[in-house]
Amino acid sequence: MSTTDVKTEKSRKVREREALEYPHTAPEADGSVVQLADGLLWARMPMPGSLSHINVYLLEDHDGWWIVDTGLCSQEISNLWLKITETVFSEKPLKAVICTHFHYDHAGQARWLSEYFKVPVYMTHGEYFTMRVFFSRHQELGGSDQYRYYQKAGLEDSLIKDIFRVCSDDPFIIDGPSSFIRLSEGQTLNIGDRAWQIVIGNGHSPEHACLYSEQDKLLIAGDQLLPTISSNVLVTDIEPYGNPLAFWMDSLDRLDGLHRETLALPAHGLVFLNIHERTAQLRNHHIRQLEIIRKKMLRVSSATTYQVMGWLFRRQLSPMDQILAVGETLAHINWLIENKELTLKTDENGVNQYSII
């Protein structure tokens, strides 16, 4: 990326951040809470890496508390929940756990919370069973199907081995709770004096549950709407020819149907206003990525997934970043194939080659 391109990109990100409003200061990731509305508290759990935290939300009911998302599976996070129990939950007990989706920063403590406090876990059907499948797949890490997924993408054996090594060393892989209560699109959870409607999003995960209070214009958005980063939209080896980007774009359209003055409570970053501005920013991000592929494809006879990834991600990537980048690249490639802009052929080495139509 040229110096001019870097400056242009930074300037665009500054403009996007400034187009949103951030009415609340974040709590520290130490068991502290910030009140956002009556019966609605915001806490943070620490995470390693650039994200540094996940936001979790505490909802007060007449006879107890509900929590939305849990943090990673670690003793540190368990201790923070015990601290919150002694402070926030001292007069009324924890009543239920809601996981917006299966990713382990959101559901990592679900099993422990459920068993320790003897409370149910609420998730969508798609998220619960995807969590169980991913845990099972992790036990078979490095199998022939998983190897072929990366080999078809054009990755060298050494990089594939690095990816499997990093995955096998991941300390946060979870099995999840042994049972759940299903959340579904349009369902209403009456918690305290507030009605929360379940709004389902797709693309980042298979059946992501957001909670929307129309009366108070509040949206607990999980990873479906983040203020400063774009949620990873990726293809995996389980569904290598899927089109999650189409689902993601449709989900942004559904969020545009919510009230313009809605306060978004995201899983990462600050609570923010101007959700329709943010959905437009996210939509335009993917439109730009697709346009990069179109323009580059005009200059080559064919390209592999790994080569296209280099066009979209022009920085040094760790093995874990490579997993996300390969999946996100395939999401854009598969969208273009679905829309009959690219064609796919597999070469004599078993590597997928893409060409513009």
Side-chain angles (χ1 to χ4, degrees), residues 6 57 136-137 149-150 173 178 199 254 257 280-281 285:
V6 170
Y57 299 96
S136 175
R137 295 285 284 180
Y149 167 81
Y150 290 108
I173 295 296
S178 58
V199 178
R254 290 199 294 277
Q281 292 173 3
H285 163 73

Side-chain angles (χ1 to χ4, degrees), residues 16 44 57 115 120 128 141 155 170 179 221 283 314 317:
E16 288 182 348
R44 276 186 165 176
Y57 299 96
E115 293 176 351
Y128 180 81
L141 193 63
L155 277 68
D170 192 330
S179 64
R283 192 179 288 109
R314 290 169 285 182
L317 300 174

Side-chain angles (χ1 to χ4, degrees), residues 227-240:
T228 58
I229 60 175
S230 174
S231 299
N232 190 237
V233 178
L234 80 165
V235 169
T236 71
D237 62 288
I238 295 174
E239 192 183 4

Side-chain angles (χ1 to χ4, degrees), residues 146-165:
Q146 293 173 335
Y147 174 82
R148 266 197 304 276
Y149 167 81
Y150 290 108
Q151 186 262 337
K152 284 185 174 184
L155 277 68
E156 296 182 355
D157 275 4
S158 59
L159 180 52
I160 297 173
K161 290 176 181 176
D162 284 343
I163 287 172
F164 289 152
R165 175 184 52 77

